Amino acid sequence: MTKPVIDAQTQIELEAAAFRRLRQHLMQDRTDVQNIDMMNLTGFCRNCLSRWYQEAANDKGIEMDKAQAREIFYGMTMDEWKANYQTDAGADKQEAFKKSFAENVGTDKG
């Protein structure tokens, strides 16, 4: 089977559609999945996705800070998300998170 020929604009549109579907899955379909669990298992979470969105905007000359990017990605403020969906994480998850964050993010960027 040969790979389909896809022009650059169509590739952008397909990638954007896949991103929108991932966002829907994380923000609507699976709000029960905690960011800390995602980070511990995969090395990224919703906050990483919002940071990548912010970095892409900044690269395009659009001024956007972390809080603004998170509100765009989450569709609400972080305080609202935490109140509605975030659960307490035990010491074991918090310790695993520190390691995963250091390995995958390094420092909190902005």
Side-chain angles (χ1 to χ4, degrees):
M1 176 182 267
T2 61
K3 187 170 91 172
V5 176
I6 300 173
D7 65 85
Q9 182 59 40
T10 301
Q11 181 174 345
I12 290 169
E13 292 169 8
L14 294 173
E15 290 168 351
F19 176 81
R20 286 189 299 271
R21 184 61 185 94
L22 173 61
R23 184 184 173 282
Q24 177 188 327
H25 184 75
L26 294 173
M27 305 311 297
Q28 296 171 16
D29 303 341
R30 292 304 309 268
T31 57
D32 60 313
V33 176
Q34 298 298 300
N35 276 339
I36 195 166
D37 295 325
M38 289 177 59
M39 181 60 94
N40 290 346
L41 292 171
T42 66
F44 80 98
C45 68
R46 293 172 184 91
N47 292 336
C48 295
L49 289 165
S50 70
R51 180 172 44 86
W52 298 337
Y53 185 93
Q54 174 194 0
E55 290 170 354
N58 293 162
D59 287 348
K60 290 284 192 183
I62 300 167
E63 289 188 32
M64 181 181 301
D65 65 22
K66 178 170 63 174
Q68 292 168 322
R70 285 183 176 178
E71 190 166 348
I72 290 167
F73 187 81
Y74 281 78
M76 63 187 76
T77 67
M78 279 302 300
D79 288 341
E80 291 171 311
W81 175 266
K82 288 177 181 180
N84 289 321
Y85 303 110
Q86 187 168 308
T87 61
D88 290 331
D92 57 330
K93 286 184 181 184
Q94 291 179 28
E95 195 58 38
F97 174 79
K98 287 178 190 176
K99 183 176 185 254
S100 182
F101 189 90
E103 290 174 355
N104 295 288
V105 180
T107 60
D108 190 8
K109 298 178 180 181

